[in-house]
Amino acid sequence: MARLSDLIKHGKVPEKKQKEEVKIRNLASLKEDKEEVVKITQEEESIPEEIIEMDLPAETREEEISELDLPIEAGEEGLFEKPDVKTLDNISLPSEEEVTSEELEKQKQIEDLYGITYNFIEGILNNLKRKQKFTIEKGLEIVSEIVNTEKAASILYGKAVQGKGIPDNLAAHSVNVCVYALMLGIGINYSREQLIELGTTALLHDIGMVFIPEKIVNKSGKLTASELETIRKHPYYTYKILQTLGEKYSWIAEVAYQEQEREGGQGYPRGLKGDEIHDYAKIIGIVDVYEALTHHRPQRKGYMPHEAVKLILGNQKDFFSNNVKRLLLTKLSCFPLGSYVKLNSKAICKVVEINENSPLRPTVEILFDSRGRNLPKKKITRLTDAPLLYIIGTVYESDLPL
């Protein structure tokens, strides 16, 4: 997996006194405006034009680059509501609602889309390793199916966050970023066409990482200056690869080239700022960091979704616009569909419905009671209707009671 920790700096979220609208720009201007064509720096022009023949530079410096010293566990202060009573003994659960076999089958079919998407992007990466050409039409069809299927993005989001049976590699990272980006795109009411454009670009945004040596990508220690510089070439490699698809898809190459740019100009490779960065690239950029934080790395365990959101909102003062950060908070639920949570009553539940107006109070299915006993019948509770109940943390599927 790509090391993305160099993207994260310390800082605080600026106060938001006014509600800001998310601006949606027309991609047509990027496709047609010749002045928007990506300008390659003089240093990049020295790289051979044929992407498959690239020779990566050898290390020239050994200075150690310090990484962000992330806390072992993110604190929970201020995230969860406090109870109004001293005892929870008399809390009653609502009446049970059975989940039908038809609904379970539909969810399984949607979850299967994850594997289909994974196989598509893995095929592209393998072609690149073998220096073979590839096409993306199949990818467009897959993203279209996700977009056109009700609740598909939400269900796939839950699957991606849980990570059960999903390998920790570049292909999975690409699928996850695609799903997360779609969640944000849906949240700001992108059209069907915009969602397909956003999802496809997100799926392909990191394919240039295939040309970064694995010893650098998988290094558990600190990166040297030359190693960091090598990793920072991957947006350019992605751009050159996607250019081989021809003029029809040149806009994908140009948007993907911006995915490491940051709102205040702190990103790379060109240090773009604000409106110089396309909206798709802004969305892909923030979910790229979120995806990295929520998955295991050699030096740390992956953060829970709500912990990752808090880290980004707390350490990304100028990296992302307030609009995009607000989207992350409200549209990528702190407790995603299909994830497992623990209540203050000590019951363990599965999230079955997200409440966007109250992201910390989803609808859950009670799986285990306060003593860890499996309930004989399924019971559903809407936390918005149960003021005495609230979530105290999330649970990995592997840690569920037997």
Side-chain angles (χ1 to χ4, degrees):
M1 286 295 298
R3 295 177 57 91
L4 298 173
S5 56
D6 63 295
L7 305 179
I8 305 171
K9 304 294 182 183
H10 287 291
K12 296 181 179 179
V13 181
E15 294 183 1
K16 309 182 189 74
K17 296 183 179 180
Q18 292 181 321
K19 182 177 180 180
E20 302 175 36
E21 295 296 330
V22 177
K23 181 183 63 177
I24 303 177
R25 287 187 288 166
N26 191 341
L27 186 64
S29 62
L30 178 60
K31 296 178 182 177
E32 299 172 0
D33 191 347
K34 299 303 181 182
E35 294 182 1
E36 292 277 353
V37 174
V38 178
K39 297 179 181 179
I40 307 303
T41 64
Q42 186 175 8
E43 179 182 353
E44 287 169 338
E45 287 178 341
S46 64
I47 300 176
E49 288 298 313
E50 292 298 326
I51 192 72
I52 60 175
E53 298 297 334
M54 287 187 300
D55 292 319
L56 296 174
E59 294 184 14
T60 57
R61 294 175 292 176
E62 296 298 329
E63 299 94 334
E64 295 293 340
I65 303 298
S66 298
E67 296 184 281
L68 171 67
D69 185 16
L70 293 175
I72 295 176
E73 293 184 358
E76 307 300 336
E77 305 82 56
L79 180 62
F80 303 112
E81 299 177 23
K82 300 298 181 183
D84 296 326
V85 293
K86 295 182 179 180
T87 177
L88 301 169
D89 295 339
N90 298 321
I91 290 179
S92 60
L93 297 175
S95 60
E96 61 187 62
E97 298 178 12
E98 293 295 334
V99 179
T100 66
S101 58
E102 182 179 346
E103 290 172 332
L104 291 175
E105 178 60 26
K106 182 178 180 181
Q107 178 166 326
K108 182 181 182 304
Q109 291 175 354
I110 291 175
E111 290 181 344
D112 288 343
L113 283 173
Y114 190 101
I116 294 171
T117 312
Y118 177 92
N119 290 337
F120 164 75
I121 194 67
E122 178 74 358
I124 287 181
L125 297 175
N126 288 334
N127 279 358
L128 289 172
K129 292 175 183 178
R130 295 192 296 264
K131 301 182 180 180
Q132 296 177 351
K133 293 183 178 181
F134 64 93
T135 60
I136 65 168
E137 280 70 20
K138 180 63 176 179
L140 288 165
E141 293 177 7
I142 295 171
V143 174
S144 297
E145 184 173 358
I146 295 173
V147 170
N148 293 331
T149 304
E150 185 180 6
K151 294 185 178 181
S154 295
I155 292 173
L156 292 175
Y157 173 56
K159 181 176 178 63
V161 170
Q162 281 295 313
K164 183 179 181 180
I166 299 175
D168 186 16
N169 59 22
L170 179 56
H173 169 75
S174 301
V175 178
N176 293 345
V177 170
C178 171
V179 171
Y180 300 170
L182 286 175
M183 290 290 289
L184 267 59
I186 292 170
I188 49 177
N189 297 317
Y190 270 166
S191 67
R192 176 183 175 277
E193 180 183 4
Q194 287 174 311
L195 288 172
I196 294 171
E197 291 172 342
L198 172 64
T200 303
T201 306
L203 188 59
L204 299 169
H205 83 284
D206 245 0
I207 59 176
M209 285 297 299
V210 76
F211 291 105
I212 304 299
E214 290 188 7
K215 66 178 181 180
I216 296 179
V217 174
N218 298 322
K219 185 176 180 179
S220 59
K222 296 179 180 179
L223 292 174
T224 65
S226 59
E227 289 170 340
L228 183 62
E229 186 64 27
T230 296
I231 281 186
R232 287 185 172 181
K233 291 182 186 296
H234 80 269
Y236 174 68
Y237 296 164
T238 297
Y239 173 74
K240 295 301 292 182
I241 292 169
L242 294 174
Q243 273 193 324
T244 65
L245 298 174
E247 183 63 25
K248 180 179 180 181
Y249 298 118
S250 62
W251 59 270
I252 298 181
E254 293 169 14
V255 173
Y257 191 46
Q258 299 177 10
E259 57 99 7
Q260 291 291 347
E261 302 290 357
R262 295 295 177 258
E263 193 72 14
Q266 314 94 325
Y268 60 90
R270 293 178 292 162
L272 301 182
K273 299 180 180 180
D275 288 344
E276 295 174 334
I277 308 170
H278 194 275
D279 292 340
Y280 292 175
K282 292 183 180 183
I283 290 174
I284 294 170
I286 197 167
V287 298
D288 185 48
V289 176
Y290 174 81
E291 200 283 338
L293 287 173
T294 54
H295 287 79
H296 299 310
R297 293 294 177 269
Q299 69 277 21
R300 63 163 172 82
K301 188 177 181 180
Y303 292 98
M304 290 294 187
H306 68 282
E307 295 173 331
V309 170
K310 287 179 64 179
L311 283 170
I312 293 173
L313 297 181
N315 296 334
Q316 303 289 321
K317 182 178 180 181
D318 300 314
F319 277 43
F320 305 103
S321 71
N322 290 340
N323 291 329
V324 173
K325 286 184 287 190
R326 192 173 297 113
L327 271 176
L328 180 74
L329 177 62
T330 59
K331 304 307 176 183
L332 284 194
S333 172
C334 294
F335 309 111
L337 199 67
S339 63
Y340 299 92
V341 297
K342 178 179 287 188
L343 302 182
N344 56 331
S345 64
K346 296 185 180 180
I348 295 178
C349 317
K350 182 177 182 179
V351 176
V352 295
E353 186 177 353
I354 297 168
N355 186 344
E356 289 189 0
N357 294 324
S358 185
L360 300 182
R361 304 189 69 80
T363 298
V364 298
E365 176 190 341
I366 310 295
L367 300 179
F368 302 93
D369 64 15
S370 61
R371 299 181 182 178
R373 297 175 300 190
N374 198 340
L375 297 187
K377 294 183 179 180
K378 294 177 181 177
K379 292 186 177 181
I380 304 295
T381 182
R382 295 177 176 83
L383 294 183
T384 53
D385 297 336
L388 298 182
L389 285 175
Y390 62 94
I391 296 173
I392 62 172
T394 46
V395 180
Y396 283 110
E397 186 173 12
S398 58
D399 295 331
L400 293 176
L402 298 177

